[in-house]
Amino acid sequence: MLKFKESVVGKLTKGLSGLAKQRKVTVIHGTAKFASPKSLSIETKDGIKTLSFDHCIIAAGSQAVKLPGFPWDDPRLMDSTDALLLADMPKRMLIIGGGIIGLEMATVYDALGAKVSVVEFMSQLIPGADPDIVKPLHKRIEKRYEKIYLKTKVTKIEASKVGLKAHFEGEQAPEPQAARVAAGGGSQEARCATEARPAHARRVPERSRDDDPSRRILHVRLESERRQPRLSCHQPCRVRSDRTRH
């Protein structure tokens, strides 16, 4: 199954490269940072390139969340990336975070036969989405999943030979229970924003995909286009433009 997944990912990646070529989009591979409000400095295998632009979209993808205080050295505790590389099928799985990524994992492992439970700190799944849209989804999946806990958080995970025991706190908190545990992810763009901390920006706390306040991420919104932001993102990213100079 993992080989099939990798083959699908490979086909999709090649397909995107082909579409970019057909549309005469220049793709530059490298690590980029803002040199000015209208240009990027890109470190590539062929040296430094400078790219100018009128508008720039930062789309650096997502990054797995590592919740502090959990036994991450135990292979039974997984992040969203590890959960896609499982060599065996767990009988029970606890998903921490009822956001988009958490529910993606829950859907996959429920379909593969695992007994899935989801714990979400906020009052609904996919916090921030329209409740009228989320309610039909909640009603549908709660019939399939072992349990969905809202207004609840995982406070501690204990590792033992027989399994991982999760401890809960909140309105719907159950007794401690053992299961394979997976945690959701957060946006890479947010990480770039928090690392940048521009001098002329208003920092607005917004919810991460999994919406536990202890994992809130920081998005950056510029107060004025007249002020020059000093943003930098040192994560590898793909830049597209038809205006490139060396």
Side-chain angles (χ1 to χ4, degrees):
M1 187 174 68
L2 289 177
K3 289 182 178 180
F4 175 73
K5 184 206 75 172
E6 294 299 329
S7 68
V8 172
V9 172
K11 290 177 182 177
L12 291 174
T13 302
K14 291 179 181 178
L16 289 174
S17 299
L19 288 174
K21 187 176 181 179
Q22 288 177 9
R23 288 161 174 75
K24 299 181 180 180
V25 175
T26 301
V27 179
I28 304 172
H29 297 274
T31 302
K33 62 182 179 180
F34 284 93
S36 74
K38 293 290 184 180
S39 66
L40 287 173
S41 176
I42 308 169
E43 184 178 344
T44 72
K45 63 179 182 180
D46 299 321
I48 302 296
K49 295 184 178 181
T50 299
L51 182 145
S52 61
F53 55 85
D54 294 322
H55 303 282
C56 178
I57 299 174
I58 302 175
S62 64
Q63 182 182 36
V65 172
K66 295 286 188 181
L67 302 179
F70 286 6
W72 288 105
D73 56 337
D74 192 308
R76 295 169 296 181
L77 177 61
M78 305 165 291
D79 58 33
S80 57
T81 301
D82 300 330
L84 297 176
L85 301 172
L86 277 184
D88 62 326
M89 181 55 55
K91 293 181 179 178
R92 300 183 69 209
M93 178 174 281
L94 174 67
I95 306 293
I96 302 176
I100 296 295
I101 294 178
L103 292 184
E104 285 176 346
M105 290 188 289
T107 300
V108 169
Y109 286 101
D110 168 70
L112 292 174
K115 293 183 178 179
V116 174
S117 295
V118 178
V119 56
E120 168 56 49
F121 182 78
M122 303 302 285
S123 59
Q124 71 168 45
L125 296 173
I126 318 180
D130 190 327
D132 290 336
I133 297 176
V134 175
K135 286 177 183 177
L137 172 65
H138 188 141
K139 186 176 180 180
R140 178 174 179 270
I141 62 177
E142 70 178 348
K143 297 176 182 178
R144 298 181 57 92
Y145 298 172
E146 188 173 20
K147 194 67 179 177
I148 297 175
Y149 304 105
L150 300 178
K151 298 182 180 180
T152 304
K153 65 179 179 180
V154 177
T155 57
K156 183 173 64 172
I157 295 177
E158 296 176 330
S160 67
K161 293 182 179 180
V162 296
L164 296 174
K165 180 179 284 188
H167 296 256
F168 305 88
E169 182 180 288
E171 287 189 14
Q172 300 179 13
E175 293 297 315
Q177 56 183 259
R180 187 81 63 93
V181 181
S187 70
Q188 186 79 322
E189 292 94 323
R191 179 182 176 185
C192 296
T194 54
E195 289 179 350
R197 297 189 184 277
H200 300 297
R202 176 168 57 91
R203 293 174 293 176
V204 183
E206 293 187 356
R207 294 174 182 149
S208 69
R209 289 182 180 177
D210 291 315
D211 280 89
D212 184 332
S214 66
R215 290 179 274 145
R216 282 191 179 178
I217 56 180
L218 208 59
H219 289 247
V220 175
R221 296 173 178 171
L222 299 181
E223 289 181 340
S224 172
E225 293 183 357
R226 291 174 295 180
R227 296 182 177 179
Q228 296 184 354
R230 293 179 296 179
L231 289 171
S232 65
C233 172
H234 299 285
Q235 301 302 318
C237 50
R238 186 172 293 176
V239 182
R240 301 175 183 176
S241 175
D242 56 0
R243 297 190 299 160
T244 307
R245 64 176 184 272
H246 296 270

